[in-house]
Amino acid sequence: MNHLLQNLHIQLNEKIYLKNPSSSDLGNRIVSESVLMIDELGLEQFNFKKLATRLNTTESSIYRYFDNKHKLLIYHVSWFWTWMEYRLVFSTANVHDPYEKLRLALENVASPIEGFEKVAGINMHALERIIVNESSKAFLTKEVEQENKDGFFRAYKAFCHRIEGIIKQIDPTYPYANALVSTTVDGIQMQKFYAEHLPALTDFTHIEEKIPQMFYRLIIQSLAS
């Protein structure tokens, strides 16, 4: 499974970018280096001028690939959740018990990515930190409805719908599976954020196995009610 996940060619919504970054060496370097810089600086302090300096290129060259850093962030978020969906599919492929599938799915969301230092040149640990610290900025904007119509959040929805399908295997009649999954996936990310930055808002001191266990119990209790 690790070999397959290391060598996946991930295709994303073409409306996110102006030129496919995977089509050139510069495009690939824009993607990989911007992950490191956003992780290092934060989205607010990151800009294309700084990225161009790091890459020894020009701002105009970067703008040939992305309209702005918001679109670049959406690219990173979409790439991550597409890769996570593949990871979820592979890790549960031979599991028939839906309860075990659900447990594995939540572990995939909550546990740090192990065994994948880099995928397609992208530092996965830095990208994972971006998802926790920055990804909500991809959709908490005035343009969210239009970007949703353009399919910018399709990758995240597809990942959530995979877990929704597992819940439907457990209880096909449960009427709030979609809401339950999105609340769970978002909640796991927020618990990671709180544990790192706002510890008074969580009972977890670090990213540990108890986070998926807590959400697993919440889901099972919701299905039983």
Side-chain angles (χ1 to χ4, degrees):
M1 181 184 77
N2 282 15
H3 175 73
L4 291 172
L5 288 172
Q6 289 279 11
N7 296 283
L8 282 174
H9 177 66
I10 292 178
Q11 293 183 321
L12 301 179
N13 186 339
E14 295 180 357
K15 292 184 179 180
I16 297 173
Y17 51 79
L18 299 173
K19 179 181 178 181
N20 190 342
S22 66
S23 66
S24 71
D25 177 65
L26 176 59
N28 284 315
R29 290 195 296 125
I30 288 171
V31 169
S32 60
E33 194 62 39
S34 63
V35 166
L36 297 177
M37 291 188 70
I38 294 173
D39 177 45
E40 172 191 342
L41 301 174
L43 186 67
E44 287 79 10
Q45 297 302 316
F46 167 82
N47 59 48
F48 283 179
K49 182 178 181 180
K50 293 176 182 177
L51 178 59
T53 300
R54 184 78 65 93
L55 293 172
N56 194 27
T57 188
T58 62
E59 282 186 76
S60 60
S61 296
I62 298 173
Y63 279 110
R64 293 191 186 102
Y65 290 86
F66 294 97
D67 276 327
N68 49 53
K69 67 180 181 181
H70 173 67
K71 294 283 185 67
L72 178 57
L73 176 64
I74 291 174
Y75 181 93
H76 290 320
V77 172
S78 298
W79 193 99
F80 177 84
W81 288 113
T82 300
W83 185 84
M84 286 288 286
E85 184 185 4
Y86 281 116
R87 183 189 185 203
L88 173 61
V89 170
F90 289 142
S91 66
T92 60
N94 296 315
V95 179
H96 302 292
D97 180 5
Y99 291 92
E100 179 64 10
K101 277 188 178 182
L102 178 61
R103 186 187 64 78
L104 289 171
L106 298 183
E107 285 184 358
N108 277 341
V109 178
S111 301
I113 293 175
E114 300 294 345
F116 298 98
E117 179 63 30
K118 280 191 175 182
V119 176
I122 296 172
N123 185 308
M124 295 300 289
H125 299 298
L127 180 57
E128 188 176 24
R129 288 190 292 269
I130 288 173
I131 296 305
V132 172
N133 296 322
E134 311 282 355
S135 65
S136 63
K137 300 168 188 176
F139 62 88
L140 293 178
T141 68
K142 289 290 187 180
E143 295 77 30
V144 62
E145 291 183 1
Q146 182 57 52
E147 291 179 345
N148 184 49
K149 290 178 182 178
D150 290 336
F152 285 8
F153 312 111
R154 192 178 299 149
Y156 182 63
K157 291 178 186 178
F159 178 83
C160 288
H161 289 160
R162 288 281 182 183
I163 302 179
E164 179 190 6
I166 296 172
I167 289 177
K168 289 293 189 181
Q169 290 178 29
I170 297 172
D171 184 355
T173 66
Y174 185 72
Y176 311 115
N178 200 23
L180 185 58
V181 171
S182 59
T183 299
T184 296
V185 177
D186 290 346
I188 288 173
Q189 302 307 318
M190 290 309 300
Q191 288 300 313
K192 290 182 180 182
F193 183 87
Y194 294 153
E196 182 70 22
H197 304 289
L198 298 170
L201 294 176
T202 184
D203 300 300
F204 302 108
T205 57
H206 55 84
I207 308 308
E208 53 183 313
E209 64 179 10
K210 291 181 182 178
I211 293 179
Q213 288 175 0
M214 183 191 76
F215 281 96
Y216 178 85
R217 287 195 296 270
L218 287 175
I219 291 175
I220 297 304
Q221 288 170 4
S222 296
L223 296 179
S225 62

